[in-house]
Amino acid sequence: MSAMSLPPWLWQDPTPLYKTSQYITRDPLNPRRFVQVFQSIPVLEPLYTEFEKKFNVKESYRIIRDNTWLPIIATILYLSFMIEGRKYVERRKLEGKGPVNLGRFPAFWNAFLASFSILGTLRVVPHLLFMFTHKNFRGTVCEPPDTAGYGDGAAGMWVMLFTVSKVFELVDTMILVLKGKDPMFLHW
């Protein structure tokens, strides 16, 4: 059964939707309509929140752009902790105390990160596959994010959250250091 013969509640050709889509990028110089997965596959629409559907990356981007000091401070703190944290754990070992007991925090933290990654994957991967249904490889991968639907809307929100989440993943290394384990090369 081809996509063309599917019932409209299951599949709508996305190409004409670009002319009528209510989702328009907030770029004041070049606003463009974009199509989200649930518009072409209407049965998925109840799985998306209104906040995701109408997400505008412009405000988030402005906050990130205007606070370039945040990643610099995070990196300095991270590297300082890598050095001083290891020294702290070594002192504890010399005192006979051993590594820091973090209880269940590492398990909860990793469960949180895994859940976050799964949710993000459930939004971004279907969008990527959806793009391949009506665009060629270049149009899917090389097109500007706002035009491809990775700027605003549900996929755009999760791409932005994934980008910002890298700062939170630094906590993984802190957990390793406090447990007295040597971080891998990738942690450095």
Side-chain angles (χ1 to χ4, degrees):
M1 181 180 250
S2 71
M4 296 304 214
S5 62
L6 292 173
W9 59 268
L10 187 58
W11 174 260
Q12 293 180 18
D13 180 17
T15 308
L17 293 174
Y18 280 92
K19 293 179 180 151
T20 61
S21 178
Q22 68 182 10
Y23 302 103
I24 303 171
T25 61
R26 311 285 192 313
D27 181 357
L29 301 176
N30 191 17
R32 291 179 160 200
R33 293 183 189 277
F34 64 97
V35 176
Q36 300 188 63
V37 174
F38 61 84
Q39 290 177 272
S40 192
I41 308 171
V43 73
L44 294 178
E45 187 166 8
L47 302 176
Y48 287 78
T49 66
E50 283 302 310
F51 183 78
E52 286 177 302
K53 292 176 188 177
K54 296 178 179 176
F55 178 74
N56 176 3
V57 77
K58 188 175 183 177
E59 182 61 23
S60 301
Y61 177 72
R62 187 193 60 73
I63 291 168
I64 292 167
R65 185 196 65 220
D66 292 348
N67 293 291
T68 54
W69 57 270
L70 270 173
I72 294 167
I73 297 297
T75 303
I76 291 169
L77 290 173
Y78 176 74
L79 292 174
S80 299
F81 183 82
M82 289 286 286
I83 295 165
E84 294 303 318
R86 291 174 81 182
K87 289 179 185 177
Y88 171 72
V89 171
E90 286 303 317
R91 279 194 306 273
R92 284 183 57 92
K93 286 180 182 177
L94 291 174
E95 295 169 359
K97 295 179 184 176
V100 178
N101 181 359
L102 297 171
R104 294 185 179 171
F105 175 73
F108 288 121
W109 183 255
N110 286 324
F112 166 73
L113 288 180
S115 301
F116 175 82
S117 295
I118 290 167
L119 287 172
T121 300
L122 290 174
R123 287 296 189 249
V124 177
V125 170
H127 187 80
L128 174 67
L129 297 175
F130 160 71
M131 295 300 286
F132 278 117
T133 65
H134 62 286
K135 294 189 177 205
N136 61 23
F137 181 79
R138 186 169 190 266
T140 300
V141 177
C142 300
E143 201 170 85
D146 55 347
T147 307
Y150 290 111
D152 291 328
M157 181 183 96
W158 284 95
V159 167
M160 188 276 307
L161 287 173
F162 175 77
T163 304
V164 173
S165 76
K166 299 299 121 196
V167 173
F168 296 104
E169 289 185 13
L170 300 177
V171 174
D172 284 343
T173 306
M174 293 178 184
I175 290 170
L176 284 175
V177 169
L178 290 174
K179 289 171 97 179
K181 297 180 180 177
D182 286 328
M184 299 182 322
F185 172 74
L186 290 175
H187 289 103
W188 283 94

